[in-house]
Amino acid sequence: MSGGYNSPGATGGGSSYASRSESFSTTEKEEGGVGSIPIFGGDYKKHDEIKNMLDSSKDNLKLEAMKILIGMIAKGKEASDLFPAVVKNVVAKNPEIKKLVYMYLERYAEEQQDVALLSISSFQKALKDPNQLIRASALRVLSSIRVPIIAPVLMLSIKESSTDMSPLVRKAAAHAIPKLCSLDPEMKEGLMEIIEKLLKDKTTLVAGSVVMAFEKVCPDRIDLIHKNYRKLVNLLADVDEWGQVIIINMLTRYARTQFLDPAKFELATEENEQFYTETESEEDSEEESGSDEEKAKSKKKRKKKVEYKMDPDHRLLLRSVKSLLQSRNASVVMAVAQLYYHLAPKEEQQLIGKPLIRLLRGRREVESVVLTSIATMSVERPSLFEQHLKNFYVRATDPTHIKLLKLEIMTNIANEANVHSLLREFRAYVNFSDRKFAASTVQAIGRVAVSISEVTETCLHGLMSLLSNKDENIVGESVVVIKKLLQLAPKDHKDLIVRVAKMVDNLTVPMAKASILWMIGEYCNFIPKIAPDILRKSAKSFPNEDDIVKLQIVNLAAKLVVTNPKQTRLLSQYVMNMARYDVNYDVRDRARFLRQLITTENNADEEVSALSKYAKKILLSTKPAPVLESIYKARDHWQLGSLSHYLNTEANGYIPLPDFPDEPPDPSVREVDEEYQTFYGSKTESKQDFYSSEEDSEEESKSDDFYSEDSEESGSEEEESEEDESEEEDEEEEEDESSDDAQDVLKNLRKTFKRPTEESEEEDSEEDSEEESEEESEEETSEEESEEEVPKKPIPKKQHQSNAKPKKGQENDLLLLLDDPFTGGEATPTLPTGGGDMLKPVAAGTESPSAGKKSSFDIIYPVVIPSKKYELLNRISGQGLQIHHKFTRRSHIYSKKMLAIELEFTNTTDTTINGISIGAKRLQGGMSIKEMAEIPQLAQGGSLSATIAIDFNDTLQPAKFDICVSGGRKYPVQIDPHVGELLHAVNMSEESFLYTQERLSGLCESKCKIGLEDSDLDKISKSMLKVANLGPVVCVGAGVIRLAAVTFSSQSPVLVTGKIKDGQLTLIVNCEKMNIHSILMKEIKEVLS
């Protein structure tokens, strides 16, 4: 959009606009916005001046005013006050003005309905405009007026536009259908007729939009898809990415209603058919010796395995979407992956592993959605991701929710082969500073111990070692998991029960304490001497305990009464009396119930007295071991990648996945009539049926043969192996990637030679139709232009194939040629191998078990990125060229030692500035600059951003260089570094921090005291983070702030400590470079004083 705005014919507008350009660019700089032209950041309060421009008789002024308004809308600014002035220009003859007016009206038509209604006649007239963009825009504006009274008018407009010559207008009609349906649901039947007609459209531009309308209006009318199924599948590769996602999701639900579940059958390949043939005689002999029912079952089972063969349309869908796994768009890849997961046989689902791993390189949002889907898939299909285990290793810089998702996936794909490496990873994760993640790691260890019996003992001993951890949450979670594991075989772990029972006095986590009390009561026979003493101590602290602990104390008292009444009867009565008057009604009810159950004396109720005889069996009955399973197992009924799946709750507009049918539906419903034979429109057809083409004589064969995956030959050649099929697919993909010249040669070649197979004929028809559609779209865009094909000399087919087809033994499926799994980023901790001490905790606070007491840290993203900009070259010195710079606090891609600095160039003149580059550099020793690429031109009033990299060599010396402009002009500038911007924020444990601080004492330390008016630690730490790029360190003690960083160039540690006592802050800064710690101390002191 900026290119159009800066065009020479669009920037004229009189001196009044030129005089305002300087103020506009200045305001933009203050607001921090970067636009392509200064009017985007102008003073929006001067609406009167814009209104005068809109009321002017000059088109150039109106055009500039509309550009200002569209710029305001693009930046989220309010511009509805000028709606009446804009509406008057819908009759403008200038098409550029009219397009911008319609863009504005589309945004505000729903808010200003009364005024918009006055121009309906103009919109209807615009539907007859020769310009297709005007017609499409008019329909969009008309559908944006949410007034029920215009529903009939909108219905007629949609019907007329659905038969328009331009695919762009038909696309706009498809988008207007859901809007009209929500405005007037009574018109749904008429809209479905339009959808049915638009579904026959052969243009790729319309396909995605009409499927979207189908999903919004009538998603249950799958009968509308039958005849168009094969066309949509074959058009899928040429549709835009947004349309691909919509169509794939729709086809997933359609296929679930029309095809059998391949997971319930074995594909009848050549090998298993031969196997059943060889063993048929053996099975027949077994059937003779069995009963009649067994004979019938055996025959039915063998018949089911042999006769099942995937529907050709089912196979066509899987083949068509396979190539989209290489798409650059993450949504498309995710859509194909969910289709394969829900529809493909198990052995073919291996294809989706690598593409999903590739998506983990993307943004955090994409990574989170993909990991959630992988977590669900790994529950039922762990083999899909077992070979990619290392890609799920957790980094210290990952957010907590990403860490938890990766931990869930690693737990799901754990098996006997990788369990030992997983447990070594878990050992490191337990000591992470993220306590929520560390606690979840303990739970994951318990799940691994339950699922893999070989390591149950190892995990149990490792969890026992975690009971000595300094973190109470880790200890509490370990006790809960140990309790669940002990239920599997309590008799084999009596010593562990004794050891855990003795820890009850030291625990403060309610859940952990309740778990221990439950174990003591459940296995009181194993500890007859310890259990009464624990009841005595628990009774003493009963009033101060949490409700969950009180309930377990009452249970313990009841169980000890029935097993050891001599020592515990009085204690039990004491506990029951206290529980009887507790404030929590659950505790009171539990006490009354158990008192009646265990008391046999003075009990007048005969039924209760009889029940008391079985109190021991009731209370001490064998409890089933708890089932530890993934929380993502409950999400398998959602469609993968959907919002409902991500949130685990049904979102508005979600269409549930249907179940597979028990019997295959009739495949003849997808047989196409003559009007469905071709995929694209023909140039020679009439305007009335412009997007339906005549049939070629070569396409009059049956659709079953057209879509069949078998070859034309019979006998043994009819059943080709999967390797031959993959070779053909490789040829097709390589042909698609060939040059344009080769494509033209092939097109002429196909007119001369006939392909020997039907599968090749299908490829011919698709590529020929693509050529026709391209010519059709070019004719619709410019009716006056015509194309003339230059005949080319045909090249024999065999010669082309010999160049395209790889050598034997070197053939690879293009889908497997994805990038290597993501292993970049921070280094994964190197974990030592071990046996029984696999889960033994390492030094507290270290992220890597091999770190020991050495200083260890991980570079993280900046916690705070300052938005302040500094002037590098003012517009007076730069003769109209103004430059500002901003510190990004990140290293440049060219070198980790270089700081990335963003430069913003603004042209405040009324002429274009050409050839902006960096010239001579005047740097101190050890400093270096990586210059930016030359800016060819900067339009008048325009702004551009560029990034340079500077290595300041950990000094505070300025970086001096020249900014050169074409014409020989040079402007000397310099960038003065700030000490806080020369640092990398790091993630460091408290132990590593203290160890490093001990080494950096004496001359490497600056110390001062600052009086504080507000002792809020959060405010103080935020102020420090604004001054310097520091990373917070998790501290155990209260009233202490610790921040850590390293310098860009030499990676020297920089430590900042703040201790608050009696309203004073003791500030300590440590660094081996004296200029760093002394100046950093001064800057922090100035901010806090």
Side-chain angles (χ1 to χ4, degrees), residues 252-268:
T252 301
R253 290 187 290 273
Y254 176 84
R256 296 266 294 195
T257 63
Q258 299 300 311
F259 308 130
L260 296 177
D261 186 1
K264 296 182 179 179
F265 303 92
E266 294 182 8
L267 291 180

Side-chain angles (χ1 to χ4, degrees), residues 713-810:
E713 301 175 0
S714 59
S716 60
E717 295 179 359
E718 185 177 356
E719 297 177 352
E720 295 180 325
S721 62
E722 294 181 3
E723 295 180 359
D724 294 335
E725 292 177 358
S726 64
E727 292 176 8
E728 293 176 5
E729 292 172 3
D730 289 344
E731 286 186 43
E732 294 175 6
E733 292 175 359
E734 290 182 4
E735 289 175 6
D736 291 340
E737 295 176 357
S738 61
S739 64
D740 295 336
D741 293 337
Q743 293 288 348
D744 295 336
V745 171
L746 283 176
K747 292 173 184 176
N748 289 282
L749 180 63
R750 294 188 187 99
K751 298 178 181 178
T752 307
F753 300 94
K754 184 177 180 181
R755 298 282 181 105
T757 61
E758 292 179 1
E759 186 172 354
S760 302
E761 291 176 3
E762 177 184 351
E763 184 179 350
D764 264 353
S765 63
E766 291 179 2
E767 294 187 10
D768 289 340
S769 58
E770 288 176 3
E771 180 185 8
E772 293 176 2
S773 66
E774 291 175 0
E775 295 173 358
E776 177 187 2
S777 62
E778 291 175 0
E779 285 188 2
E780 292 168 349
T781 304
S782 177
E783 298 179 359
E784 298 179 0
E785 297 180 0
S786 63
E787 295 181 358
E788 296 182 0
E789 292 186 6
V790 179
K792 297 185 180 180
K793 184 178 180 180
I795 298 176
K797 176 184 174 184
K798 292 183 179 179
Q799 180 179 355
H800 174 73
Q801 287 186 347
S802 63
N803 296 331
K805 184 175 181 180
K807 296 181 180 180
K808 186 176 182 180
Q810 297 180 354

Side-chain angles (χ1 to χ4, degrees), residues 62-277:
K62 292 181 179 180
L63 186 61
E64 294 302 335
M66 289 308 305
K67 287 181 180 180
I68 295 175
L69 292 179
I70 298 300
M72 294 168 62
I73 295 174
K75 297 189 68 174
K77 303 297 182 180
E78 182 62 33
S80 60
D81 296 342
L82 296 170
F83 191 89
V86 175
V87 169
K88 292 187 297 185
N89 289 281
V90 294
V91 295
K93 296 182 179 180
N94 190 325
E96 296 297 325
I97 297 176
K98 187 174 289 188
K99 284 189 292 185
L100 295 179
V101 168
Y102 282 139
M103 290 175 62
Y104 176 91
L105 296 179
E106 185 180 352
R107 167 65 179 82
Y108 289 109
E110 188 171 353
E111 299 178 10
Q112 305 281 345
Q113 297 176 358
D114 296 337
V115 182
L117 285 173
L118 300 177
S119 302
I120 284 184
S121 59
S122 300
F123 301 146
Q124 290 179 290
K125 184 179 179 180
L127 292 174
K128 306 293 184 180
D129 194 277
N131 191 322
Q132 59 178 350
L133 295 176
I134 299 298
R135 298 199 302 273
S137 299
L139 183 59
R140 282 197 293 266
V141 174
L142 198 60
S143 62
S144 299
I145 303 175
R146 313 295 293 167
V147 180
I149 196 174
I150 70 165
V153 177
L154 182 57
M155 183 68 175
L156 294 175
S157 302
I158 293 176
K159 282 185 178 180
E160 184 178 355
S161 299
S162 64
T163 57
D164 193 275
M165 291 290 295
S166 171
L168 183 64
V169 180
R170 302 199 299 273
K171 180 183 179 75
H175 283 291
I177 290 174
K179 296 180 181 179
L180 178 57
C181 185
S182 63
L183 184 65
D184 190 356
E186 295 181 358
M187 294 187 175
K188 184 176 180 179
E189 294 297 328
L191 293 175
M192 285 193 293
E193 296 178 0
I194 300 176
I195 291 175
E196 184 177 8
K197 182 170 59 175
L198 287 175
L199 282 172
K200 301 176 184 179
D201 201 309
K202 311 300 187 295
T203 311
T204 56
L205 188 64
V206 183
S209 300
V210 67
V211 172
M212 182 274 299
F214 169 81
E215 292 281 85
K216 296 289 186 182
V217 177
C218 51
D220 54 337
R221 286 288 306 276
I222 60 173
D223 57 293
L224 300 180
I225 305 297
H226 289 322
K227 300 293 184 181
N228 303 283
Y229 170 81
R230 294 168 180 169
K231 181 202 71 174
L232 290 174
V233 171
N234 284 278
L235 289 180
L236 199 55
D238 301 322
V239 179
D240 60 279
E241 294 172 338
W242 174 84
Q244 286 174 344
V245 175
I246 297 294
I247 295 175
I248 290 174
N249 289 331
M250 184 274 294
L251 291 177
T252 301
R253 290 187 290 273
Y254 176 84
R256 296 266 294 195
T257 63
Q258 299 300 311
F259 308 130
L260 296 177
D261 186 1
K264 296 182 179 179
F265 303 92
E266 294 182 8
L267 291 180
T269 60
E270 184 177 356
E271 296 180 359
N272 58 35
E273 286 181 0
Q274 183 179 1
F275 169 78
Y276 290 121
T277 304

Side-chain angles (χ1 to χ4, degrees), residues 25 871 873-875 880-884 904-906 908:
S25 61
E871 188 178 66
L873 178 66
N874 60 56
R875 60 186 182 86
L881 176 62
Q882 189 176 26
I883 307 176
H884 287 77
E904 182 180 339
F905 300 84
T906 303
T908 62

Side-chain angles (χ1 to χ4, degrees), residues 597-613:
L597 181 63
I598 63 177
T599 303
T600 58
E601 300 176 0
N602 300 326
N603 199 332
D605 195 340
E606 295 181 359
E607 295 181 359
V608 176
S609 179
L611 189 63
S612 301
K613 298 178 182 179

Side-chain angles (χ1 to χ4, degrees), residues 584-859:
N584 187 279
Y585 59 86
D586 286 334
V587 178
R588 297 196 302 268
D589 292 346
R590 179 75 61 86
R592 293 190 183 99
F593 163 69
L594 292 178
R595 179 192 290 270
Q596 295 298 322
L597 181 63
I598 63 177
T599 303
T600 58
E601 300 176 0
N602 300 326
N603 199 332
D605 195 340
E606 295 181 359
E607 295 181 359
V608 176
S609 179
L611 189 63
S612 301
K613 298 178 182 179
Y614 303 99
K616 186 174 183 179
K617 292 184 179 181
I618 295 174
L619 294 175
L620 299 178
S621 61
T622 303
K623 312 296 190 303
V627 179
L628 301 178
E629 60 182 13
S630 174
I631 59 176
Y632 288 88
K633 188 175 183 180
R635 301 193 185 194
D636 57 351
H637 62 284
W638 303 111
Q639 185 171 2
L640 290 181
S642 63
L643 179 62
S644 298
H645 173 264
Y646 185 76
L647 300 176
N648 197 24
T649 185
E650 184 171 350
N652 186 25
Y654 174 74
I655 305 175
L657 273 176
D659 296 328
F660 282 101
D662 296 331
E663 297 295 333
D666 184 12
S668 63
V669 296
R670 290 183 292 278
E671 296 291 343
V672 291
D673 301 329
E674 292 183 356
E675 60 176 332
Y676 289 90
Q677 282 293 330
T678 55
F679 292 10
Y680 299 91
S682 173
K683 297 189 296 181
T684 60
E685 58 200 357
S686 62
K687 293 184 179 181
Q688 182 177 359
D689 45 359
F690 56 93
Y691 52 82
S692 63
S693 62
E694 299 178 357
E695 303 79 48
D696 296 331
S697 59
E698 297 179 357
E699 295 178 339
E700 293 179 352
S701 59
K702 295 183 180 180
S703 58
D704 281 344
D705 296 333
F706 184 83
Y707 290 103
S708 176
E709 58 181 316
D710 300 331
S711 64
E712 186 179 7
E713 301 175 0
S714 59
S716 60
E717 295 179 359
E718 185 177 356
E719 297 177 352
E720 295 180 325
S721 62
E722 294 181 3
E723 295 180 359
D724 294 335
E725 292 177 358
S726 64
E727 292 176 8
E728 293 176 5
E729 292 172 3
D730 289 344
E731 286 186 43
E732 294 175 6
E733 292 175 359
E734 290 182 4
E735 289 175 6
D736 291 340
E737 295 176 357
S738 61
S739 64
D740 295 336
D741 293 337
Q743 293 288 348
D744 295 336
V745 171
L746 283 176
K747 292 173 184 176
N748 289 282
L749 180 63
R750 294 188 187 99
K751 298 178 181 178
T752 307
F753 300 94
K754 184 177 180 181
R755 298 282 181 105
T757 61
E758 292 179 1
E759 186 172 354
S760 302
E761 291 176 3
E762 177 184 351
E763 184 179 350
D764 264 353
S765 63
E766 291 179 2
E767 294 187 10
D768 289 340
S769 58
E770 288 176 3
E771 180 185 8
E772 293 176 2
S773 66
E774 291 175 0
E775 295 173 358
E776 177 187 2
S777 62
E778 291 175 0
E779 285 188 2
E780 292 168 349
T781 304
S782 177
E783 298 179 359
E784 298 179 0
E785 297 180 0
S786 63
E787 295 181 358
E788 296 182 0
E789 292 186 6
V790 179
K792 297 185 180 180
K793 184 178 180 180
I795 298 176
K797 176 184 174 184
K798 292 183 179 179
Q799 180 179 355
H800 174 73
Q801 287 186 347
S802 63
N803 296 331
K805 184 175 181 180
K807 296 181 180 180
K808 186 176 182 180
Q810 297 180 354
E811 299 171 351
N812 291 320
D813 192 343
L814 290 179
L815 289 177
L816 299 180
L817 297 180
L818 297 169
D819 294 337
D820 293 335
F822 179 66
T823 55
E826 303 298 336
T828 305
T830 304
L831 304 176
T833 58
D837 60 342
M838 188 176 299
L839 291 175
K840 184 176 180 180
V842 297
T846 58
E847 303 294 341
S848 172
S850 62
K853 288 189 176 181
K854 296 182 180 180
S855 174
S856 61
F857 56 85
D858 293 319
I859 295 177

Side-chain angles (χ1 to χ4, degrees), residues 155 286 418 422 427 451 466 485 577 787 871 1023 1037 1061 1085:
M155 183 68 175
E286 293 178 0
N418 58 28
L422 268 183
R427 175 194 171 192
S451 59
L466 291 178
L485 295 179
N577 290 332
E787 295 181 358
E871 188 178 66
S1023 300
K1061 186 177 181 181
K1085 185 177 180 180

